Amino acid sequence: MHKDIATPIRTQEILKKYGFSFKKSLGQNFLIDPNILRNIVGHADLTKDSAAIEVGPGIGALTEHLARAAGKVVAFEIDQRLLPVLEDTLSPYDNVEIIHSDILEADVKALFKEKLSDFQDVMVVANLPYYVTTPILLKLLMDRLPIRGMVVMMQKEVADRITASPGTKAYGSLSIAIQYYMKAEVAMVVPKAVFMPQPNVDSAVIKLTRHETPPVHVIDEDFLFKVSRGSFVQRRKTIINNLQSSLPNGKEKKELIIQSLEKVNIDPTRRGETLSIVEFGQLADELYPHFH
């Protein structure tokens, strides 16, 4: 068994050896607690028949635990300075491939076919860079990758939004976009002290598991997200006011919007945050012919 990368002493040694300094712009916060890493990987339920996709491996702390649990790990690292570090720290493992790329720019679908076609079971497991957590999650979902789910660390506030229920303050279009594809739950809350440098926000790990079938069947998924986003433009406004201002020519089509709301039994004076995904789906399908 190799010495874990994720201890304060070993992390310091590695950073010193490579003269590495943290880049604030890349949101680099490295995990320095092996127990937390074991826990994260445990939530992903990996076997040697599984593959893992990681985003932002840093110096390889989580990557190493994934390599021990999974058959293959493909990790995307944007920071060129970390490539030689990873080559060194992960040298004991022959089942890891590091891709020097910004995940937001990468053709993940093509890479999936190329690198992971042998695996039926694939999970995304990552300590995500906090400043781009939401775009990364949405990209991975909208790319419709054949993954079982994700176990990802993020800012606790974003985790609360993703896992929120209707009628709560945290519930919004992000909750809907993610819960449409995945069942979302907070797996664990993580203290600041297990990171180097310590972030100034609390963190949480969420577990997302793909639905066998979506909670609602819609004519057009993109239109569903458009309607849900439009319903939260101004949280304090009623759904009819928000949809009038967010849908194309909404003001002229006010009557049509009201009729559509009434057809699916949604009171036009409700606020977006009170609608369930199923209600948004029914509403989107009712509105679709009038706005397409």
Side-chain angles (χ1 to χ4, degrees), residues 35 97 178:
N35 291 325
E97 188 167 345
I178 291 183

Side-chain angles (χ1 to χ4, degrees), residues 160-173 175-176 179 231-232 235-236 239 270-280:
D160 289 341
R161 281 166 48 208
I162 286 170
T163 55
S165 311
T168 60
K169 221 168 95 176
Y171 182 73
S173 53
S175 329
I176 292 155
Q179 290 173 30
S231 304
F232 289 94
R235 286 190 79 92
R236 300 198 166 281
I239 187 144
R270 280 171 66 182
R271 288 182 183 172
E273 68 210 52
T274 66
L275 271 68
S276 68
I277 292 190
V278 173
E279 288 179 306
F280 272 117

Side-chain angles (χ1 to χ4, degrees), residues 19-237:
F20 183 83
S21 55
F22 292 95
K23 257 195 191 162
K24 226 184 160 83
S25 66
L26 292 177
Q28 289 168 328
N29 300 90
F30 298 163
L31 280 159
I32 49 170
D33 182 329
N35 291 325
I36 297 262
L37 292 162
R38 274 191 283 276
N39 229 328
I40 292 171
V41 175
H43 281 291
D45 301 316
L46 301 168
T47 70
K48 284 297 174 184
D49 293 326
S50 315
I53 296 173
E54 189 187 3
V55 182
I59 58 172
L62 174 60
T63 325
E64 160 176 82
H65 285 264
L66 290 171
R68 291 171 188 166
K72 183 167 184 179
V73 184
V74 174
F76 290 84
E77 179 51 64
I78 194 172
D79 188 349
Q80 190 147 10
R81 302 173 304 154
L82 286 166
L83 303 181
V85 185
L86 288 161
E87 203 169 311
D88 176 7
T89 59
L90 298 172
S91 57
Y93 308 98
D94 59 3
N95 58 342
V96 177
E97 188 167 345
I98 305 293
I99 295 173
H100 178 218
S101 165
D102 176 350
I103 185 104
L104 292 172
E105 305 289 314
D107 184 344
V108 185
K109 234 178 175 165
L111 281 160
F112 209 98
K113 278 203 179 94
E114 192 188 319
K115 315 258 181 216
L116 299 173
S117 55
D118 296 348
F119 292 90
Q120 295 299 304
D121 181 57
V122 183
M123 284 291 279
V124 172
V125 188
N127 168 23
L128 293 172
Y130 289 178
Y131 72 109
V132 284
T133 297
T134 307
I136 289 172
L137 283 175
L138 291 176
K139 177 189 163 76
L140 292 171
L141 290 173
M142 301 304 171
D143 278 0
R144 318 277 199 279
L145 301 171
I147 56 174
R148 169 164 52 92
M150 308 190 203
V151 175
V152 280
M153 170 100 71
M154 60 189 62
Q155 205 168 314
K156 185 174 178 297
E157 182 215 346
V158 180
D160 289 341
R161 281 166 48 208
I162 286 170
T163 55
S165 311
T168 60
K169 221 168 95 176
Y171 182 73
S173 53
L174 181 64
S175 329
I176 292 155
I178 291 183
Q179 290 173 30
Y180 175 78
Y181 292 106
M182 303 263 178
K183 174 178 167 242
E185 54 197 322
V186 172
M188 55 203 252
V189 175
V190 181
K192 296 171 191 176
V194 301
F195 293 95
M196 180 187 293
Q198 285 192 22
N200 40 17
V201 291
D202 287 321
S203 304
V205 174
I206 64 164
K207 180 170 183 173
L208 301 173
T209 313
R210 183 178 291 288
H211 295 303
E212 290 293 317
T213 53
V216 60
H217 284 285
V218 289
I219 301 166
D220 183 306
E221 291 178 359
D222 293 332
F223 187 68
L224 162 66
F225 301 135
K226 196 175 178 170
V227 169
S228 66
R229 272 198 311 274
S231 304
F232 289 94
V233 176
Q234 289 180 289
R235 286 190 79 92
R236 300 198 166 281
K237 286 199 164 176

